[in-house]
Amino acid sequence: MIAEVIVDVAAYPIDRPFDYAVPTKWERVMEPGVRVKVPFGPRKVAGYVTGLKMESELDASKIKSIVEIIDLEPVLSKELLALSKWMATDTIAYEIDALQVMLPTAMRAKYEKIMRVVSPELLDDSFRTFLGNREQVTLKALQDANLLNEAKDYSEKGIVEIDTAIQQKTKIKKVRMIHIPDIKSLEIAFSKIHPNAKKQAELLRWLMKHPSSSMEASELLNQSDVKANVLKSLVDKQVIEQSYVEVYRELDAPKMRDSGRPEQLTEEQQIALSAIEQSSDLEQQETFLLHGITGSGKTEVYLQAIDHVLKKGKEAIVLVPEISLTPQMTARFKGRFGELVAVLHSGLSSGEKYDEWRRIHRGEVKVAIGARSAVFAPFTNLGLLILDEEHESTYKQEESPRYHARDVAIWRAEYYQCPVILGSATPALESYARATKGVYTLLTLTERAKQQALPSVEVVDMREELKTGNRSMFSVALAEAMRDRLARKEQIVLLLNKRGFSSFVLCRDCGTVVECPNCDISLTYHRSTESLKCHYCGYEQHVPVECPECESEHIRFFGTGTQKAQEELFKLLPEARVIRMDIDTTNTKGAHERLLHDFGEGKADILLGTQMIAKGLDFPRITLVGVLAADTSLHIADFRAAEKTFQLLTQVSGRAGRDQLPGEVVIQTYDPDHYAIELSKTQEYLPFYELEMDRRRQLGYPPYYYVAVVQFSHEDVLKAADYAHKGTSFMAERLSPSSVIIGPTAAAISRLNNRYRYQCLIKYKQEPALIPVLQQLLKHYKTNWVKDGLNLSINREPTAIF
Ligand code: ADP
Ligand code: ZN
Ligand code: ZN
């Protein structure tokens, strides 16, 4: 038997499975999806068996044998193996990367070189002393002890062998369980107890209230309030038994409110749910775009749709943009489905992630909720996949394999013939365009679930504030609104928009942002050269000393931090209690949940933060939302800047007035007439969609074109540019004339880690040659260019093009 193995050597120029012989003794246990160890060149490496066959086309003498089996049951199902193949092709990635991304880190075999002793009697004394009674040590330990040369000598003589160790870092956690016998046995034990053993008698009395049960020792000690030695004496007397069992690490479940009861659906919700249920019963793949305004009850629709598929014995995956940012959402799913839910989030340790993965793998849970990579949850009978806030760019992985969770979800749904729900108040333009074409089925929720009005929005022109002498970060209107809420004991959310921080130049008098004369896109500020550049056409100019429009000298980079905002807030409203949420205050485990929890409990009046507070909050007392710098995300040199700004403003506005109290939003901006800001006043998606689509058509951007970016980087700036030109011509010669290649131009961050970066952009409508040509380019790169220190990356549909 021959196994096809993808080896874990990404740097190797050949990206395909290699044939290895399966030793006869292992033929019965060998299956696709198991990990093995194989000889590869001089080393032994780990790999994944992706297929089995009876014969190889290769000469039998050339075929080496598998030396070790790492798993006795496959870690990847046939479905996931097929998915990895498709993903590697579709995203132009290495197959090994596509395989690895599907497993929790703890399952990606970790390598460490070790030295194993073969003939201990031939070692000299000092070396033997160093080893003590160890039969093997890591090379690192040898290196630290300065014994590498000796080890090498021994290795050449065959006295020791050097190997690549594959370690399972993650340990399975065990807890001590106490098993309490029936009441009879307890009574007998009680009658025999020595009269002086008061504590033991006390524990026995407690145990008699819990006969014939098992519980964790720590829990028992806690509840019965006796000391561990008392418990031990009863174990020693064999009154009770103890054992150690494997457990899953307990997650810090965010303790936030959820009734756990399904709501009576509104008419719109019911229509949407019925459509999804019907599709699910037909067992066909169908993708729904659930477009519902903020607070319209999309989550409730998800919950009931999941309930429907669970009743059929199927499973569901729910993706959220960044799980640690949505503890409320998780709480709702746990409230509804309890133990059937596995949560996969980035805040978990790798051990915790591994536990959750195992619970899914073993079929112990039915719903997985998590960020992007949860789309690979190892279910085998999927009935529904959901992407909440489907427009979020975090669904696209920006390192290899550069997949989009939406595409993977739809692929898996095809495999299982089940529905996908893409939900958003502000769908990605691409998604809405597909829905209007009938590729996706559009479902719409136009009203808030509790019939509340959307908050009223006021846009404040910060240029006017400056003219009247207000140099603070807070407009008069916002300051007044905040005082009002403080007096009424209502809550406030303040968003400091940090996207695009400092990357563009703005005139504080007239609001002008310096743009490219050719491209209708703002120029990016390059600190190193004090210049402004266009990353689309290569245009470049010096940073102006005065505004090109009004000649004011108040022209500068735009941006400010949350810490500064907090200080100013303190000066303005010293009595206000403020919770600040940004990268600095949320970098410890559980901090995010704790801060939100405190805010929910009313321990603060104001929640001040960056983008991370824009989504998912559902607190009834929030009645005011203030946006401090709506512009910053508008002038990033990215054709999606307007879309992202509109999405952010709509999202954050949606936090206000979700319960009984009406909401109000104040948006501060230097550019009140920009359509993305103007249109966020009404929070209506369609007018924005139409305007933005028009603009994209005129400029030839997605969704009218597909795009792919090929980036070249090198330590030597001339070589980077040279290869970029070579690569660009390589593609130009092979792609259809209808495809447009722009560049090469320098990348936005033109030097990163001392590597110079150039890139070119391919725009196309229909290009059957795209994947083959990109694959040829990659192969050419790996066989010819990589040796010269070039790095090449290919990114289809990047989330941003700078
Ligand atoms: P979305 O996900 O669209 O922002 P949610 O599902 O979070 O909206 O719903 C907003 C609020 O309305 C939540 O507090 C939710 O519990 C409540 N809700 C949802 N559906 C209903 C319903 N049919 N009846 C009453 N309340 C509802
Ligand atoms: Zn100006
Ligand atoms: Zn330009």
Side-chain angles (χ1 to χ4, degrees):
M1 187 190 277
I2 301 293
E4 296 176 325
V5 179
I6 298 277
V7 292
D8 188 2
V9 188
Y12 199 70
I14 300 166
D15 181 40
R16 59 162 174 81
F18 290 89
D19 286 356
Y20 285 94
V22 180
T24 321
K25 57 181 175 181
W26 288 340
E27 283 190 358
R28 272 190 51 218
V29 293
M30 188 58 68
E31 275 182 83
V34 305
R35 293 170 302 167
V36 291
K37 263 172 87 173
V38 294
F40 191 81
R43 303 182 284 161
K44 285 180 191 135
V45 300
Y48 298 79
V49 175
T50 56
L52 292 173
K53 55 192 180 187
M54 288 326 292
E55 279 170 26
S56 170
E57 296 87 69
L58 295 175
D59 217 347
S61 65
K62 288 203 176 127
I63 295 185
K64 295 178 190 165
S65 286
I66 290 174
V67 293
E68 193 180 319
I69 300 186
I70 302 176
D71 307 299
L72 282 176
E73 75 182 91
V75 290
L76 290 167
S77 64
K78 291 210 170 63
E79 182 232 340
L80 290 177
L81 286 174
L83 172 59
S84 77
K85 248 199 168 63
W86 168 80
M87 196 160 67
T89 308
D90 194 66
T91 67
I92 330 278
Y94 302 131
E95 269 194 58
I96 187 67
D97 289 344
L99 287 165
Q100 306 260 43
V101 77
M102 296 184 177
L103 292 172
T105 335
M107 297 285 293
R108 300 175 199 169
K110 160 114 183 129
Y111 303 116
E112 200 171 21
K113 286 275 170 70
I114 53 154
M115 183 207 73
R116 193 178 296 121
V117 181
V118 182
S119 315
E121 69 282 1
L122 297 177
L123 298 172
D124 70 30
D125 283 345
S126 63
F127 203 91
R128 210 176 298 147
T129 314
F130 160 73
L131 281 176
N133 48 16
R134 292 176 291 182
E135 281 169 10
Q136 62 178 51
V137 290
T138 61
L139 284 202
K140 178 80 178 37
L142 288 169
Q143 194 179 323
D144 294 347
N146 210 7
L147 289 169
L148 274 183
N149 286 336
E150 288 81 351
K152 187 159 193 278
D153 290 343
Y154 288 136
S155 158
E156 282 168 359
K157 291 179 193 147
I159 299 171
V160 301
E161 16 174 76
I162 307 291
D163 199 354
T164 304
I166 296 167
Q167 292 189 332
Q168 203 71 12
K169 249 194 168 175
T170 307
K171 295 245 166 52
I172 288 165
K173 189 182 166 192
K174 293 197 166 165
V175 294
R176 183 159 63 117
M177 295 294 293
I178 302 294
H179 309 283
I180 308 170
D182 56 27
I183 191 81
K184 266 245 138 56
S185 320
L186 288 169
E187 280 168 355
I188 295 169
F190 194 73
S191 68
K192 289 186 188 158
I193 219 99
H194 194 276
N196 284 347
K198 294 224 171 64
K199 283 288 168 191
Q200 289 181 32
E202 188 186 313
L203 177 56
L204 270 169
R205 265 195 297 275
W206 188 90
L207 291 174
M208 278 142 95
K209 291 186 216 147
H210 307 266
S212 309
S213 62
S214 298
M215 65 199 305
E216 270 184 48
S218 56
E219 172 82 23
L220 192 153
L221 291 172
N222 203 356
Q223 285 194 19
S224 62
D225 205 24
V226 299
K227 295 238 160 59
N229 60 342
V230 182
L231 186 64
K232 184 169 181 295
S233 54
L234 289 191
V235 172
D236 292 344
K237 285 180 181 154
Q238 297 181 354
V239 174
I240 50 181
E241 276 180 49
Q242 69 177 27
S243 68
Y244 289 84
V245 299
E246 183 183 322
V247 289
Y248 301 116
R249 272 152 270 248
E250 192 59 42
L251 301 178
D252 314 337
K255 287 161 193 72
M256 301 177 105
R257 76 201 161 90
D258 181 78
S259 67
R261 273 178 295 107
E263 302 276 359
Q264 178 71 37
L265 294 186
T266 64
E267 202 180 319
E268 286 183 326
Q269 282 175 316
Q270 188 56 56
I271 292 169
L273 179 66
S274 301
I276 296 159
E277 289 182 347
Q278 244 174 42
S279 167
S280 156
D281 294 345
L282 285 174
E283 311 215 337
Q284 285 171 1
Q285 200 285 313
E286 185 169 3
T287 304
F288 292 94
L289 178 61
L290 179 60
H291 175 215
I293 62 168
T294 53
S296 60
K298 295 184 288 294
T299 312
E300 189 60 37
V301 174
Y302 305 153
L303 289 164
Q304 299 200 18
I306 292 171
D307 195 48
H308 183 80
V309 305
L310 293 190
K311 288 202 173 105
K312 298 200 285 185
K314 298 190 178 184
E315 304 133 347
I317 294 176
V318 183
L319 301 182
V320 291
E322 172 47 68
I323 187 98
S324 67
L325 307 189
T326 45
Q328 278 197 312
M329 179 104 172
T330 329
R332 281 173 79 180
F333 279 78
K334 288 213 160 177
R336 206 63 68 86
F337 305 115
E339 292 298 302
L340 292 179
V341 180
V343 179
L344 304 162
H345 78 76
S346 56
L348 301 181
S349 69
S350 66
E352 288 165 334
K353 280 186 192 148
Y354 174 55
D355 286 345
E356 295 295 272
W357 184 89
R358 271 192 310 160
R359 292 174 68 206
I360 301 169
H361 196 65
R362 292 177 178 177
E364 294 170 6
V365 298
K366 301 292 172 197
V367 181
I369 167 163
R372 183 178 61 228
S373 63
V375 76
F376 301 114
F379 287 121
T380 51
N381 189 20
L382 274 173
L384 181 62
L385 295 103
I386 297 169
L387 271 82
D388 187 39
E389 312 283 9
E390 66 90 31
H391 60 275
E392 283 291 329
S393 51
T394 53
Y395 285 128
K396 172 76 191 296
Q397 173 149 310
E398 290 296 351
E399 60 191 64
S400 182
R402 297 182 168 81
Y403 69 94
H404 197 296
R406 182 181 53 222
D407 302 334
V408 174
I410 293 174
W411 189 97
R412 295 195 76 181
E414 286 280 355
Y415 188 93
Y416 291 103
Q417 292 292 298
C418 73
V420 171
I421 308 175
L422 308 175
S424 176
T426 51
L429 251 63
E430 283 87 343
S431 299
Y432 203 83
R434 282 182 199 142
T436 60
K437 281 186 166 175
V439 180
Y440 299 159
T441 309
L442 185 63
L443 302 169
T444 315
L445 306 177
T446 58
E447 282 174 2
R448 284 188 150 183
K450 299 178 193 161
Q451 313 304 322
Q452 323 84 322
L454 279 175
S456 60
V457 181
E458 182 186 354
V459 173
V460 176
D461 186 344
M462 293 304 278
R463 296 169 302 185
E464 294 298 322
E465 297 283 321
L466 197 65
K467 276 185 200 149
T468 57
N470 178 8
R471 293 189 163 269
S472 100
M473 289 171 72
F474 304 98
S475 61
V476 173
L478 182 57
E480 212 155 85
M482 288 197 289
R483 279 196 194 95
D484 174 63
R485 297 315 127 120
L486 289 179
R488 284 198 266 154
K489 305 248 176 298
E490 292 171 8
Q491 289 185 303
I492 302 164
V493 165
L494 285 183
L495 171 78
L496 184 70
N497 188 356
K498 282 191 71 171
R499 249 181 210 153
F501 179 73
S502 272
S503 66
F504 65 94
V505 168
L506 172 110
C507 170
R508 291 202 34 157
D509 282 321
C510 75
T512 290
V513 169
V514 185
E515 290 193 344
C516 174
N518 311 321
C519 298
D520 193 17
I521 242 156
S522 55
L523 292 171
T524 303
Y525 171 60
H526 286 241
R527 189 181 297 276
S528 54
T529 50
E530 278 295 304
S531 63
L532 294 170
K533 286 183 192 163
C534 171
H535 298 298
Y536 286 83
C537 70
Y539 173 85
E540 184 172 344
Q541 69 170 63
H542 273 293
V543 174
V545 286
E546 59 180 39
C547 172
E549 294 296 324
C550 75
E551 295 176 4
S552 154
E553 286 165 18
H554 295 133
I555 186 158
R556 61 180 75 148
F557 327 112
F558 199 75
T560 177
T562 38
Q563 211 163 346
K564 179 150 173 279
Q566 190 174 15
E567 285 160 19
E568 282 214 27
L569 203 51
F570 180 71
K571 275 184 227 150
L572 186 72
L573 306 164
E575 74 281 17
R577 297 163 305 159
V578 179
I579 289 181
R580 194 179 102 214
M581 228 158 88
D582 55 23
I583 299 173
D584 298 332
T585 62
T586 53
N587 57 7
T588 57
K589 197 174 176 203
H592 194 274
E593 276 95 337
R594 206 174 48 249
L595 292 176
L596 281 187
H597 180 80
D598 288 353
F599 190 64
E601 298 269 284
K603 291 188 185 152
D605 309 297
I606 302 179
L607 180 64
L608 165 71
T610 52
Q611 271 71 278
M612 63 175 75
I613 62 170
K615 290 182 281 265
L617 302 188
D618 189 13
F619 293 119
R621 295 201 67 80
I622 300 177
T623 59
L624 174 66
V625 167
V627 181
L628 296 186
D631 306 50
T632 47
S633 56
L634 211 46
H635 303 295
I636 311 173
D638 175 11
F639 72 90
R640 285 197 178 89
E643 181 183 358
K644 286 177 182 162
T645 303
F646 179 79
Q647 285 163 342
L648 180 65
L649 294 180
T650 308
Q651 241 14 282
V652 73
S653 301
R655 300 311 112 208
R658 290 169 73 88
D659 205 62
Q660 307 299 328
L661 304 164
E664 183 188 350
V665 180
V666 178
I667 295 176
Q668 302 189 158
T669 175
Y670 289 92
D671 197 355
D673 301 325
H674 191 288
Y675 62 100
I677 289 176
E678 179 77 43
L679 288 170
S680 63
K681 267 196 228 171
T682 57
Q683 302 172 58
E684 277 185 64
Y685 177 75
L686 267 183
F688 175 79
Y689 170 77
E690 275 156 14
L691 220 91
E692 183 67 7
M693 283 295 274
D694 254 6
R695 198 177 140 261
R696 299 280 180 90
R697 184 173 43 236
Q698 282 164 23
L699 297 169
Y701 290 138
Y704 289 96
Y705 280 89
Y706 294 108
V707 291
V709 169
V710 182
Q711 191 172 87
F712 306 81
S713 77
H714 201 284
E715 284 178 0
D716 179 339
V717 64
L718 292 177
K719 284 197 170 178
D722 184 37
Y723 280 115
H725 280 285
K726 280 189 186 134
T728 307
S729 341
F730 182 97
M731 290 184 287
E733 285 159 20
R734 290 164 176 83
L735 293 172
S736 344
S738 65
S739 298
V740 186
I741 301 185
I742 299 169
T745 55
I749 307 168
S750 61
R751 192 174 62 148
L752 192 71
N753 288 333
N754 283 316
R755 301 184 71 87
Y756 292 88
R757 314 194 313 162
Y758 280 81
Q759 63 190 29
C760 74
L761 178 72
I762 308 165
K763 294 208 291 184
Y764 61 99
K765 285 201 171 178
Q766 268 214 317
E767 179 55 275
L770 185 80
I771 289 180
V773 169
L774 291 177
Q775 281 174 335
Q776 280 169 37
L777 177 70
L778 196 62
K779 195 168 169 203
H780 188 72
Y781 153 70
K782 282 200 290 184
T783 37
N784 300 304
W785 295 346
V786 74
K787 299 188 276 265
D788 196 25
L790 179 75
N791 255 354
L792 179 139
S793 76
I794 298 171
N795 193 352
R796 294 185 65 193
E797 300 304 314
T799 47
I801 302 171
F802 292 103

